[in-house]
Amino acid sequence: MKRIAIVGATGMVGRAFLEVLEEQNLPDCEYTLFASAKSAGSELDFGGRTYTVKELKEDSFDSGFDIALFSAGASISKTFAPIAAARGCVVIDNSSCWRMDPEVPLVVPEVNPEDAFENKGIIANPNCSTIQAVVALAPIHRKYGIKRIVYSTYQSVSGAGVKGWQDLENGARAFVEGCESELQKFPHPIFNNCLPHIDAFLENGYTKEEQKMVDETRKILHDQNIAITATTVRVPVFSAHSESINVELLRPYKLEEVRELLQNSEGVIVADDPQNNIYPLASTAAGTDEVYVGRLRRDESVENGLNMWVVSDNIRKGAATNAVQIALLLFKGR
């Protein structure tokens, strides 16, 4: 019997953990749900039964767990992940807390599954925008090598949690009703807007989200020599992130070979028939676990340049599904 703890079970990603686990229908697993004192005592239906959410405490892991899926924020992960790991539990953490720690593997199962087995009790789940990007880029990097990446992202409000979702919902309602809405999350209205501001600004002018994509891509692909720049933008879409990715490859390529390579890559769906208006859409990706790739075309401004449009559900593949896939990887072994 495998014992699995869900930390942050009442949050947006925590509920997605339960949804994905229910779909997987893992045999011989026992679950315990944890959240803050504020949410403790609430009930969640999962796997045909009702669970009462427990308050997360320092002794919560004393009873012994095999895996703990964390999505309760960096401060909670910083405090409780080492406690869980010290009790023999492997923590798969969805926060930013451990991602760039050199002792903690940063894992996307389709890209670097072997890294998961080098853990010392904690495995980091990458940033949602990074996950979908590297699923598409990894097979290309393995075959042609990547010299430079330019990321431009169009990220949905669900990436900002419940309050971000509410800002878009309330803004749309206020527009229809001809009134103003009070902002819960964003510094400006997200309805009818694009905000080039995700997370805090750093001294170099980049945001933390942009820097995450740079640092995490290099770590996951095991290549510190890739030149990377990013601009991340919040857009008025409820679910699924879209990304324009411009890549300069180290070796020449044929476009049809790249398309075939991606069609045969795990976790990728190629939707690339622009003459018939077929290309990846957020509305298509929402609620699914795949990474959709399209608008494949040569960048004629540089040698070996390639453009692609990449879309994926940020709450599922970008968070919950990726974490569950890591857990399954550990259960199956090398």
Side-chain angles (χ1 to χ4, degrees), residues 85-140:
R87 303 292 189 276
C89 175
V90 177
V91 173
I92 302 170
D93 180 44
N94 192 57
S95 81
S96 61
C97 182
W98 304 100
R99 290 173 183 160
M100 297 313 300
D101 188 316
E103 298 295 314
V104 176
L106 186 65
V107 177
V108 178
E110 297 91 338
V111 179
N112 59 334
E114 65 285 349
D115 290 358
F117 298 98
E118 304 304 319
N119 76 82
K120 297 180 180 179
I122 302 173
I123 299 172
N125 215 32
N127 186 41
C128 50
S129 51
T130 306
I131 288 175
Q132 67 188 70
V134 297
V135 169
L137 289 172
I140 295 171

Side-chain angles (χ1 to χ4, degrees), residues 56-231:
L56 182 66
K57 299 179 179 179
E58 289 193 7
D59 63 355
S60 293
F61 299 95
D62 289 354
S63 58
F65 290 95
D66 297 288
I67 296 283
L69 302 178
F70 273 56
S71 188
S75 61
I76 295 297
S77 294
K78 185 176 182 179
T79 299
F80 289 95
I83 294 173
R87 303 292 189 276
C89 175
V90 177
V91 173
I92 302 170
D93 180 44
N94 192 57
S95 81
S96 61
C97 182
W98 304 100
R99 290 173 183 160
M100 297 313 300
D101 188 316
E103 298 295 314
V104 176
L106 186 65
V107 177
V108 178
E110 297 91 338
V111 179
N112 59 334
E114 65 285 349
D115 290 358
F117 298 98
E118 304 304 319
N119 76 82
K120 297 180 180 179
I122 302 173
I123 299 172
N125 215 32
N127 186 41
C128 50
S129 51
T130 306
I131 288 175
Q132 67 188 70
V134 297
V135 169
L137 289 172
I140 295 171
H141 183 49
R142 283 191 286 264
K143 184 166 184 177
Y144 302 102
I146 293 177
K147 179 180 180 181
R148 183 171 188 256
I149 303 169
V150 179
Y151 287 130
S152 301
T153 75
Y154 308 79
Q155 298 180 215
S156 68
V157 296
S158 58
V162 173
K163 290 183 178 180
W165 186 289
Q166 289 173 342
D167 271 5
L168 178 54
E169 202 170 55
N170 294 339
R173 186 180 299 111
F175 178 79
V176 172
E177 296 175 355
C179 61
E180 294 185 3
S181 63
E182 183 178 347
L183 298 177
Q184 303 292 318
K185 178 67 179 181
F186 302 119
H188 303 284
I190 186 62
F191 177 79
N192 202 32
N193 244 347
C194 295
L195 306 181
H197 177 186
I198 301 178
D199 212 326
F201 283 100
L202 304 172
E203 288 187 4
N204 63 2
Y206 284 74
T207 64
K208 283 186 177 181
E209 182 82 1
E210 291 159 351
Q211 195 63 51
K212 286 174 195 173
M213 292 196 73
V214 173
D215 297 338
E216 292 179 22
T217 297
R218 290 174 177 152
K219 182 174 180 178
I220 295 165
L221 295 181
H222 298 292
D223 191 339
Q224 294 298 315
N225 295 318
I226 303 175
I228 307 173
T229 188
T231 300

Side-chain angles (χ1 to χ4, degrees), residues 259 263 269-285 292-297 308-311:
R259 183 176 286 107
Q263 287 171 336
I269 292 178
V270 175
D272 191 34
D273 185 6
Q275 298 304 316
N276 290 302
N277 299 323
I278 296 174
Y279 31 73
L281 297 172
S283 57
T284 301
Y292 297 77
V293 181
R295 294 299 316 281
L296 289 162
R297 62 204 187 280
M308 63 178 72
W309 179 250
V310 178
V311 182

Side-chain angles (χ1 to χ4, degrees), residues 136-149 226 245-255 258 261 297-299 302-308:
L137 289 172
I140 295 171
H141 183 49
R142 283 191 286 264
K143 184 166 184 177
Y144 302 102
I146 293 177
K147 179 180 180 181
R148 183 171 188 256
I149 303 169
I226 303 175
I245 304 179
N246 175 270
V247 190
E248 189 177 350
L249 304 180
L250 291 172
R251 293 182 285 278
Y253 72 92
K254 292 181 180 179
L255 198 57
V258 171
L261 176 66
R297 62 204 187 280
R298 188 174 292 276
D299 176 1
V302 294
E303 187 176 10
N304 305 324
L306 174 69
N307 287 303
M308 63 178 72

